[in-house]
């Protein structure tokens, strides 16, 4: 197969790129060339910016692809450009949506593609993804545009230490905080259920979708089947860091009152119990198996950071924010 990834070097997509190459796929990456260290050997890079529609069309020329995957489309405007750019030049277009698009809070804690509605009143990011899905499915019905939708949930890998509260730019911050004996905030009482998926496991399900005609017009989530409480997640991070974390449980509403930007990631995602039924992806990709436990996966991640000392940086502003919220919570005052 001849496959184009728009992006292809991000947290999730770099693992998919590696597996695609290993499976013998002729892979092209269209991106700005800002993360060359994550380009797998064997991939061909086309340098360009998908946000420049005319420039992207010129860079791609008359190239045709069996599959096009856009890893960095977030709004209806983005997918509208893709529809015009790739209409007639691909047999399958895969849009990366988000499992946060599912109903929050859900009517049932077990989420399926067919029965769980798309509705998230708490997070604009998710509503934009829903709008993208709607536009693409309408285009598929009207013109036959060959769309497949994939909804990842929280997916991590070597370069991300996943938590409900951590620094995005400096993810080592939470490990440093645990090792320093500082308290770690857990939203709520830490007993809501969640799923962590390693990017190499996600890749197995995703690569199995490439070129599958049966997937046209369909949506799939791809997650681990391991279900954990948030307390267990933080305990596993602590075990990987070599120190038992000192957990402080704080209501999501209190956290949001101190930082309104947390509403989407908490009420619109991580504070809501979410367990995914992966029967649909397994039916189409029978060899998909998310075999890596979070306890083992997070050990790999911490070890990768320790092997790359330049990545072991701390976010002092984030640390200060955590300390201030904990102090306010302990004093009984609300910002």
């Amino acid at each position: 197969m001849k496959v184009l990834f728009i992006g292809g070097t991000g947290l999730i997509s770099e693992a998919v790129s590696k597996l695609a190459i290993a499976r013998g796929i002729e892979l092209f990456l269209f991106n700005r060339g800002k993360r060359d260290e994550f380009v797998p050997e064997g991939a061909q890079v086309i340098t360009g910016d998908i946000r420049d529609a005319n420039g992207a069309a010129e860079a791609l020329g008359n190239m045709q692809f069996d599959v096009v995957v856009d890893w960095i489309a977030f709004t209806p405007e983005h997918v509208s450009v893709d529809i015009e750019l790739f209409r007639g030049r691909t047999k399958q277009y895969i849009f990366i949506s988000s499992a946060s698009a599912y109903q929050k809070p859900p009517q049932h804690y077990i989420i399926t593609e067919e029965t769980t509605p798309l509705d998230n009143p708490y997070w604009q990011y998710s509503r934009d993804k829903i709008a993208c899905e709607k536009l693409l499915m309408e285009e598929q019905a009207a013109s036959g545009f060959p769309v497949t939708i994939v909804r990842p949930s929280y997916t991590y890998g070597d370069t991300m230490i996943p938590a409900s509260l951590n620094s995005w730019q400096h993810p080592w911050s939470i490990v440093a905080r645990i090792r320093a004996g500082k308290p770690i905030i857990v939203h709520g009482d830490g007993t809501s259920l969640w799923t962590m998926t390693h990017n190499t496991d996600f890749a197995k399900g995703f690569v199995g979708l490439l070129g599958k005609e049966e997937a046209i017009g369909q949506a799939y989530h791809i997650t681990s089947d391991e279900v954990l409480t948030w307390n267990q997640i933080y305990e596993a991070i602590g075990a990987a860091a070599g120190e038992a974390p000192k957990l402080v449980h704080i209501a999501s509403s209190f956290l949001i009152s101190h930082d309104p930007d947390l509403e989407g990631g908490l009420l619109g995602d991580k504070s809501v119990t979410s367990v995914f039924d992966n029967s649909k992806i397994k039916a189409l990709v029978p060899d998909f198996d998310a075999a890596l436990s979070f306890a083992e996966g997070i050990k790999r991640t911490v070890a990768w950071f320790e092997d790359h000392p330049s990545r072991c940086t701390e976010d002092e502003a984030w640390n200060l924010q955590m300390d201030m919220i904990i102090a306010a919570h302990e004093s009984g005052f609300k910002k």
Side-chain angles (χ1 to χ4, degrees):
M1 278 188 291
K2 186 177 179 180
V3 176
L4 176 70
F5 284 179
I6 302 170
T9 58
L11 174 65
I12 303 178
S13 59
E14 60 99 5
V16 179
S17 294
K18 287 180 181 177
L19 185 59
I21 292 290
R23 296 266 179 97
I25 289 171
E26 184 181 7
L27 182 63
F28 295 80
L29 305 183
F30 181 79
N31 58 48
R32 295 177 296 169
K34 301 293 187 181
R35 289 168 57 88
D36 289 344
E37 69 270 29
F38 295 106
V39 175
E41 184 178 354
Q44 301 178 58
V45 177
I46 305 170
T47 303
D49 186 351
I50 194 63
R51 301 292 175 254
D52 175 6
N54 292 332
E58 183 177 349
L60 293 169
N62 296 320
M63 296 181 73
Q64 299 279 325
F65 302 96
D66 295 299
V67 185
V68 171
V69 183
D70 194 337
W71 295 94
I72 55 172
F74 301 102
T75 68
E77 291 74 22
H78 294 164
V79 297
S80 293
V81 169
D82 283 357
I83 290 169
E84 295 307 314
L85 185 57
F86 296 110
R87 190 194 308 276
R89 73 158 81 201
T90 186
K91 299 172 186 175
Q92 183 185 31
Y93 168 90
I94 300 181
F95 170 65
I96 307 302
S97 185
S98 170
S100 68
Y102 287 118
Q103 185 182 53
K104 299 293 183 296
Q107 294 175 348
H108 194 283
Y109 75 100
I110 296 179
I111 295 170
T112 74
E113 297 91 337
E114 310 305 330
T115 63
T116 307
L118 302 182
D119 179 25
N120 190 329
Y122 302 105
W123 205 358
Q124 186 61 47
Y125 164 81
S126 306
R127 292 194 293 274
D128 286 341
K129 289 288 190 179
I130 293 169
C132 290
E133 289 196 29
K134 182 175 183 292
L135 175 60
L136 286 163
M137 294 306 289
E138 288 174 350
E139 186 64 32
Q140 198 272 330
S143 70
F145 188 72
V147 63
T148 298
I149 292 166
V150 173
R151 301 175 185 138
S153 187
Y154 208 159
T155 307
Y156 70 103
D158 288 344
T159 60
M160 171 50 59
I161 298 169
S164 64
L165 295 173
N166 194 9
S167 168
W168 180 256
Q169 296 296 329
H170 303 272
W172 183 253
S173 298
I174 192 168
V175 171
R177 193 173 176 89
I178 289 172
R179 287 180 172 175
K182 296 180 179 179
I184 302 298
I185 296 176
V186 183
H187 61 271
D189 63 3
T191 61
S192 59
L193 302 178
W194 195 254
T195 302
M196 292 289 194
T197 308
H198 198 270
N199 60 5
T200 57
D201 279 335
F202 176 90
K204 291 184 285 186
F206 190 90
V207 171
L209 283 175
L210 299 178
K212 287 286 177 65
E213 187 176 345
E214 307 96 305
I216 303 301
Q218 298 295 316
Y220 302 85
H221 49 240
I222 304 174
T223 78
S224 172
D225 291 321
E226 181 183 45
V227 179
L228 301 167
T229 68
W230 278 101
N231 287 333
Q232 290 173 318
I233 289 168
Y234 281 99
E235 287 161 3
I237 296 172
E243 294 286 342
K246 297 177 180 178
L247 304 183
V248 176
H249 296 94
I250 300 179
S252 294
S253 57
F254 189 91
L255 295 171
I256 293 165
S257 74
H258 283 263
D259 184 355
D261 288 342
L262 293 175
E263 182 176 59
L266 289 177
L267 297 185
D269 199 25
K270 299 172 188 66
S271 68
V272 182
T273 286
S274 297
V275 178
F276 298 91
D277 181 342
N278 285 290
S279 298
K280 188 173 180 180
I281 184 66
K282 289 178 179 178
L284 191 59
V285 186
D287 63 345
F288 168 60
D289 177 28
L292 188 62
S293 70
F294 182 66
E296 289 303 312
I298 194 62
K299 285 180 185 177
R300 291 189 192 181
T301 302
V302 170
W304 184 89
F305 273 88
E306 290 174 331
D307 287 341
H308 297 77
S310 64
R311 296 295 188 109
C312 297
T313 55
E314 294 185 58
D315 187 333
E316 292 306 324
W318 176 81
N319 262 318
L320 180 61
Q321 182 190 41
M322 296 300 101
D323 290 338
M324 291 176 63
I325 292 175
I326 290 168
H329 182 258
E330 289 178 346
S331 69
F333 292 114
K334 186 175 181 180
K335 183 178 177 182

